[in-house]
Amino acid sequence: MRSEVIEPNVSNFVNSLRDMGYTFPIAIADIIDNSITANAKNIDIFTTAKSQMQLSLLDDGVGMNEEELVEAMRLATKSPGLKRKKTDLGKYGLGLKTASFSQCKKLTVISKIGVEINARQWDLDYISAENKWLLLAPEISSLNRIPLFEELTKLRSGTLIVWENIDGIESQAFSNEVIKLRDHLALVFHRFIEGIPGTKILKININNNIIKPFNPFNPEHPASQQLSTEKIKIKGENILVQPFILPHHSKVSQAEYEKYATDEGYTRSQGFYLYRANRLLIYGTWWKLHKSIDAHKLVRIKIDIPNDQDQHWGIDIKKSTASPGEEIKKDLKRIISQVTEIGSRPYTGRGRKIEDKTVNRFWSLSPLNGEVRFTLNTQHPLLNYLKMLLDHEEMEILDTYLKGIQAFLPLDAIQSKLQQSPHEVNQKSVLTNQELEDIINKLKSSNLDESMMEQLLNTEIFKEYRRLKQ
């Protein structure tokens, strides 16, 4: 059989490599994976957008000699099937290149071991012009101008990644992307920043500001519910699953509630959080096994897998999407059913209070053709008292007004506000304590019999007043 070499069109191939769907924060996280695998304990990121957008990332990991550096610059430098150390966060040997190419046209990697410093560079414009994969070897003396290069020279070992000609981001959006990057890294690498037992704490700085870890489960708060960890066996390996129920907004301050909502909000942040070798990969998803609803917005389920289970979870090159296999889904569905029932209690429990018969309430739940509606309590003692004071015509006008209140209760607006900013809602402030006291004094001087007076004082409004006065 005859064969012939067909070289790819390098220029077109480069453009295909750049279109992998990376965002700026995900691309940087992919680079940091390499630093952690190289045992780095300090990572410094410096960004600038003066004449052109540029980023430098320096770690104090083991570094690379010249041969190792050249191999690291190769595309697909590792076989996906190669057995790795349990702490290795890579897989395909593509992350450094594909993540970088998605954001910039010039990637320079400078690495140091002892006194030896080596550098290699991919320049996509140069590659396209020559139509060949030509790896450049810049002179070390020409790199002095690069931010963090001087800091690299002071290290015993380390690696400096430099992105130039960044075009994956609009220049006016660069500062906002850096803010998003800080939040993303605080979440994705929170375990490393907090400190994993047996290892040193990882420190990440962006423009000289250290990143603080963000644990999405708020485990230190006494109102956070940490349910039992369950082990699921897959191909002889244990997968650990632990559900959490975050505190109801009434149990935390407004600042803390908003912090754990994240920019995505509680409803979009519910679901599974998949960790691979302690690195958070996927978060805020049910993998279509369950529908996101407000009643389950406090439910977050942590999953821990080793770094050799990617094929069972459909993890992509970017490590930002996954799809568990059918065997795993059965167990996850069972866990979802158990946890969401518990997770909805902070809301269903509070909802049932409207049916409490020990208090004369203003509102009731009434059935209507298989549905329910909120209706004003027409037997409320205050309304009955008012009926005695009004004539028939006045009562008809009041009745029309009350029906209007019921018909146009702004449920959508109430629900939206309670989901987005529950701490801002304060209906009780409509009536002050002084106003309540004045009303009680007027009622007491109105010659009401004791039975009627007791009914009035047993309504929501006065019971709350008496509680506050205790």
Side-chain angles (χ1 to χ4, degrees):
M1 181 182 293
R2 187 171 63 88
S3 64
E4 58 184 314
V5 176
I6 302 296
E7 296 286 349
N9 185 304
V10 175
S11 179
N12 292 340
F13 184 54
V14 164
N15 289 328
S16 298
L17 275 177
R18 303 197 71 200
D19 191 19
M20 298 282 286
Y22 280 93
T23 63
F24 181 70
I26 289 175
I28 294 294
D30 219 340
I31 302 295
I32 290 177
D33 286 343
N34 294 332
S35 298
I36 292 174
T37 300
N39 297 321
K41 293 306 167 191
N42 293 279
I43 297 173
D44 287 290
I45 300 171
F46 182 81
T47 64
T48 180
K50 292 180 180 177
S51 56
Q52 65 171 5
M53 291 180 289
Q54 184 174 325
L55 179 141
S56 297
L57 186 152
L58 172 66
D59 72 49
D60 61 353
V62 296
M64 295 175 281
N65 61 31
E66 186 170 23
E67 182 181 352
E68 291 169 330
L69 175 57
V70 170
E71 185 62 24
M73 297 297 277
R74 186 193 305 274
L75 269 71
T77 184
K78 295 179 181 178
S79 167
L82 184 68
K83 189 170 180 63
R84 290 167 166 73
K85 294 180 180 179
K86 292 185 179 294
T87 55
D88 192 337
L89 299 182
K91 180 179 180 182
Y92 297 96
L94 283 169
L96 168 64
K97 285 75 65 174
T98 54
S100 299
F101 294 162
S102 73
Q103 304 297 315
C104 72
K105 289 187 173 183
K106 184 184 289 187
L107 164 66
T108 306
V109 180
I110 312 160
S111 202
K112 179 177 187 287
I113 298 180
V115 296
E116 178 188 357
I117 298 178
N118 294 287
R120 290 295 186 273
Q121 183 181 88
W122 286 120
D123 186 331
L124 299 187
D125 287 335
Y126 181 75
I127 290 172
S128 294
E130 297 295 325
N131 203 35
K132 293 180 180 179
W133 283 103
L134 297 174
L135 183 63
L136 301 175
E139 295 292 334
I140 301 301
S141 59
S142 69
L143 304 176
N144 293 329
R145 61 182 177 80
I146 292 177
L148 301 181
F149 178 78
E150 184 178 348
E151 285 78 356
L152 172 66
T153 63
K154 298 175 183 178
L155 296 175
R156 176 179 296 180
S157 63
T159 299
L160 176 60
I161 311 294
V162 184
W163 288 356
E164 297 176 273
N165 297 340
I166 295 175
D167 61 350
I169 309 169
E170 296 291 336
S171 58
Q172 61 269 26
F174 193 52
S175 59
N176 286 334
E177 288 296 324
V178 173
I179 293 172
K180 291 179 184 178
L181 172 64
R182 175 177 292 278
D183 293 340
H184 184 71
L185 300 184
L187 172 62
V188 167
F189 297 107
H190 76 85
R191 288 187 179 177
F192 297 92
I193 302 171
E194 290 166 345
I196 298 170
T199 65
K200 289 185 178 180
I201 290 174
L202 175 67
K203 295 180 180 179
I204 305 177
N205 285 281
I206 299 181
N207 296 329
N208 296 318
N209 291 312
I210 195 162
I211 292 178
K212 295 180 180 179
F214 177 71
N215 187 320
F217 306 104
N218 198 4
E220 301 302 320
H221 196 284
S224 292
Q225 299 180 54
Q226 302 186 42
L227 307 186
S228 299
T229 300
E230 181 172 341
K231 292 182 180 180
I232 301 174
K233 234 11 175 198
I234 299 294
K235 304 299 182 183
E237 289 279 358
N238 283 327
I239 293 171
L240 305 180
V241 183
Q242 184 180 22
F244 288 76
I245 313 297
L246 270 61
H248 186 266
H249 72 261
S250 63
K251 303 292 186 181
V252 294
S253 67
Q254 180 175 353
E256 187 171 3
Y257 185 79
E258 291 175 353
K259 174 184 176 182
Y260 285 90
T262 75
D263 290 339
E264 297 293 323
Y266 278 98
T267 301
R268 294 183 64 181
S269 298
Q270 65 183 270
F272 292 109
Y273 285 62
L274 178 64
Y275 291 81
R276 174 179 174 271
N278 288 307
R279 197 264 211 202
L280 181 60
L281 299 186
I282 319 296
Y283 53 91
T285 179
W286 289 114
W287 286 310
K288 298 183 179 179
L289 302 176
H290 182 69
K291 186 177 290 185
S292 294
I293 61 173
D294 289 337
H296 302 154
K297 68 180 185 177
L298 300 180
V299 176
R300 296 179 184 179
I301 305 175
K302 179 176 65 176
I303 302 176
D304 273 286
I305 65 172
N307 65 353
D308 59 357
Q309 295 287 311
D310 289 19
Q311 70 273 25
H312 304 305
W313 293 85
I315 296 170
D316 70 341
I317 292 175
K318 304 188 302 297
K319 291 169 280 190
S320 62
T321 61
S323 179
E326 292 303 318
E327 184 181 355
I328 302 169
K329 285 181 179 179
K330 292 178 182 178
D331 285 304
L332 297 184
K333 284 180 180 178
R334 173 179 51 79
I335 293 170
I336 289 171
S337 178
Q338 296 168 350
V339 177
T340 51
E341 192 278 326
I342 299 171
S344 62
R345 288 175 188 170
Y347 296 97
T348 56
R350 285 171 171 77
R352 283 195 293 270
K353 287 184 179 179
I354 199 170
E355 299 170 2
D356 186 353
K357 303 302 182 184
T358 64
V359 180
N360 289 313
R361 297 192 173 275
F362 286 96
W363 290 91
S364 302
L365 276 175
S366 302
L368 177 68
N369 300 326
E371 301 175 333
V372 293
R373 65 179 176 181
F374 290 94
T375 58
L376 286 165
N377 179 9
T378 56
Q379 299 304 312
H380 194 281
L382 276 176
L383 183 58
N384 287 333
Y385 178 61
L386 189 58
K387 288 177 182 178
M388 295 190 302
L389 302 178
L390 300 178
D391 62 31
H392 179 72
E393 184 176 344
E394 291 170 333
M395 194 59 218
E396 283 187 340
I397 295 173
L398 176 62
D399 186 56
T400 301
Y401 177 73
L402 296 179
K403 286 180 178 178
I405 291 175
Q406 295 176 101
F408 294 97
L409 183 66
L411 289 174
D412 290 342
I414 292 171
Q415 184 180 32
S416 174
K417 197 64 180 177
L418 285 173
Q419 297 303 328
Q420 295 175 13
S421 310
H423 288 89
E424 294 179 7
V425 180
N426 185 8
Q427 290 299 107
K428 293 176 182 177
S429 63
V430 172
L431 275 171
T432 65
N433 287 347
Q434 184 59 53
E435 287 174 320
L436 287 172
E437 191 167 347
D438 291 343
I439 293 172
I440 287 177
N441 290 333
K442 287 180 181 178
L443 290 171
K444 287 180 176 178
S445 62
S446 61
N447 298 320
L448 287 173
D449 60 50
E450 290 186 12
S451 174
M452 184 65 172
M453 192 66 192
E454 183 59 31
Q455 288 184 50
L456 288 171
L457 293 178
N458 201 38
T459 59
E460 290 170 297
I461 187 171
F462 297 122
K463 287 196 77 170
E464 178 68 10
Y465 168 76
R466 287 190 289 184
R467 183 185 69 80
L468 292 172
K469 292 291 284 184
Q470 289 176 353

